[in-house]
Amino acid sequence: MANIALLNRCNLRCSYCFADNYTASEREDISIDTFLSLLDFSAPDRDVGIIGGEPLLHKNIDTCLDILRNDMRFMRATVFTNGIFIDKHLSYLTHPKFIILVNVNSSLDIGKDAFDRVDNNIGLLINNGMKNNVTLGINVYKENQDFSDFLYLTKKYGFNKIRVSVVIPHEKSEGGINYFYKMKPTLFNLYKELKSIGVSPCYDCNAIPECVYTDEEKAFLQALPFANDYERAIFMGERSVCSPVIDLYPDLTATRCFGCYDNLRVKITDFKNINDLKNHFFMEIDARLVHNYSRPECKACYKHKTFACFGGCLCYK
Ligand code: SF4
Ligand code: SF4
Ligand code: SF4
């Protein structure tokens, strides 16, 4: 799935923002003509994401949503939002094609008023028949992170599945395996809470490699209420790899994913379509960087040899 960045503005300044270099760059909202040409480019996937910054701040967001709703080439469109402006675009967002992925920030980070708006907006979506089209996501970005607001919303609206990401640190030198060891106790605090309320977690990106877990931790993870065996395998590190996501920007450049924004952008006009671009990133980034070992043990590890583990986020490399 490709993500189309509609703009680089955001009303928040999350300390962990993976898009911070993008949101800090010159401001450029996508034009409708460029949006249409990026949809043409992405159409072979039949599935597209809408990102920002905060995409619901785009001055013509209702037009963009309307175009997507009526574009029969796409089966599904995921809107990645911080949830604060959903009420202003509710009638355009309530469509079976849309998945609304609300990236939940705690009231400690965004203030109580903004958090209450997110809470209210999730209720609005659900009351308008979108319960199965809303996913809550949490970005785990610091040790001892407080998850109480996220868990409050999860319980209040009866979600049985949530999405979790281990945020890539700004200092990529801090990345790699040691970063996972540092974040593990905080992640397990979240997992214990999810287990106690019967909620299934699924990973976004940056899945933890299996060797980071102790046998005891693996036994704990095995018992979590996963939606299916595939999610369980990803969570337990049996497969800790990612595919090129492809982020497309208003200036007609693209990256494999946001983590590569700083120095691995290409011009989309050099490629026929999304599949051609994915193939390029796979050959030029995945196939090359996977040979940079995250730790000496990786060289001999069967997971590395079978392309089942990248040893953490490729962008560290
Ligand atoms: S809401 Fe998203 S785009 Fe905005 S600052 Fe936070 S992480 Fe970045
Ligand atoms: S390389 Fe993979 S894990 Fe790292 S940011 Fe990109 S998609 Fe996520
Ligand atoms: S490839 Fe490296 S990081 Fe992945 S499981 Fe093997 S030793 Fe661990």
Side-chain angles (χ1 to χ4, degrees):
M1 178 182 87
N3 294 318
I4 299 178
L6 296 191
L7 75 176
N8 62 353
R9 288 179 289 125
C10 188
N11 54 311
L12 298 181
R13 285 285 173 273
C14 303
S15 61
Y16 58 83
C17 180
F18 50 84
D20 60 340
N21 283 345
Y22 176 54
T23 51
S25 59
E26 199 175 324
R27 301 187 166 198
E28 46 185 339
D29 288 20
I30 203 167
S31 68
I32 295 297
D33 282 349
T34 305
F35 181 59
L36 289 169
S37 69
L38 292 182
L39 288 179
D40 290 344
F41 187 80
S42 312
D45 257 359
R46 311 213 68 202
D47 190 358
V48 69
I50 297 300
I51 59 172
E54 169 51 49
L56 298 185
L57 284 179
H58 190 282
K59 57 182 184 298
N60 293 319
I61 183 63
D62 293 344
T63 306
C64 295
L65 294 172
D66 209 34
I67 289 169
L68 267 175
R69 287 174 1 159
N70 291 308
D71 190 332
M72 295 305 157
R73 296 172 300 176
F74 294 97
M75 305 277 290
R76 191 171 69 163
T78 303
V79 180
F80 295 81
T81 174
N82 59 38
I84 294 175
F85 302 112
I86 286 171
D87 52 329
K88 297 185 184 304
H89 309 281
L90 189 67
S91 61
Y92 289 88
L93 286 166
T94 46
H95 186 278
K97 185 188 275 190
F98 289 133
I99 303 293
I100 316 297
L101 206 156
V102 182
N103 166 33
V104 176
N105 287 290
S106 94
S107 58
L108 297 171
D109 289 335
I110 62 172
K112 188 166 180 328
D113 286 353
F115 180 80
D116 287 346
R117 284 190 67 175
V118 175
D119 181 352
N120 185 54
N121 283 336
I122 293 167
L124 282 176
L125 285 170
I126 289 173
N127 291 337
N128 281 275
M130 292 286 283
K131 174 75 189 275
N132 295 328
N133 299 61
V134 180
T135 303
L136 300 191
I138 180 84
N139 287 308
V140 180
Y141 71 97
K142 64 179 177 186
E143 291 175 278
N144 301 315
Q145 188 169 330
D146 182 343
F147 299 115
S148 52
D149 285 332
F150 178 74
L151 293 163
Y152 162 77
L153 293 180
T154 303
K155 282 189 269 193
K156 175 174 177 180
Y157 294 108
F159 289 102
N160 54 20
K161 184 176 174 182
I162 59 94
R163 193 170 108 139
V164 56
S165 271
V166 186
V167 167
I168 305 159
H170 287 230
E171 288 303 324
K172 292 204 171 72
S173 55
E174 201 201 334
I177 300 292
N178 289 341
Y179 179 65
F180 291 130
Y181 280 108
K182 185 173 111 176
M183 297 304 286
K184 213 169 50 161
T186 305
L187 283 164
F188 273 85
N189 287 343
L190 174 63
Y191 302 159
K192 281 173 196 156
E193 295 282 359
L194 293 174
K195 187 178 181 189
S196 73
I197 55 174
V199 172
S200 155
C202 74
Y203 252 128
D204 182 0
C205 71
N206 213 9
I208 299 182
E210 187 178 3
C211 64
V212 172
Y213 297 124
T214 63
D215 288 345
E216 196 183 347
E217 287 165 347
K218 280 186 209 169
F220 176 85
L221 292 175
Q222 181 72 35
L224 284 175
F226 292 102
N228 54 52
D229 288 343
Y230 178 77
E231 302 285 6
R232 176 175 284 109
I234 301 283
F235 230 83
M236 296 190 64
E238 287 170 26
R239 274 184 58 75
S240 39
V241 295
C242 54
S243 312
V245 182
I246 312 293
D247 292 325
L248 307 170
Y249 303 100
D251 64 357
L252 298 181
T253 60
T255 54
R256 181 195 183 279
C257 49
F258 251 118
C260 304
Y261 179 78
D262 295 345
N263 46 16
L264 289 169
R265 267 189 292 161
V266 297
K267 286 195 239 166
I268 71 161
T269 44
D270 290 340
F271 301 88
K272 280 197 298 252
N273 59 30
I274 191 73
N275 292 333
D276 191 24
L277 186 54
K278 269 187 204 167
N279 192 44
H280 164 81
F281 282 129
F282 185 79
M283 297 309 289
E284 294 301 320
I285 299 182
D286 299 33
R288 288 174 189 234
L289 288 185
V290 76
H291 295 298
N292 288 7
Y293 304 112
S294 299
R295 55 197 332 195
E297 299 92 309
C298 295
K299 199 168 181 179
C301 177
Y302 75 98
K303 293 208 162 200
H304 174 262
K305 289 181 177 160
T306 55
F307 223 70
C309 181
F310 286 169
C313 169
L314 280 181
C315 299
Y316 296 142
K317 299 179 175 182

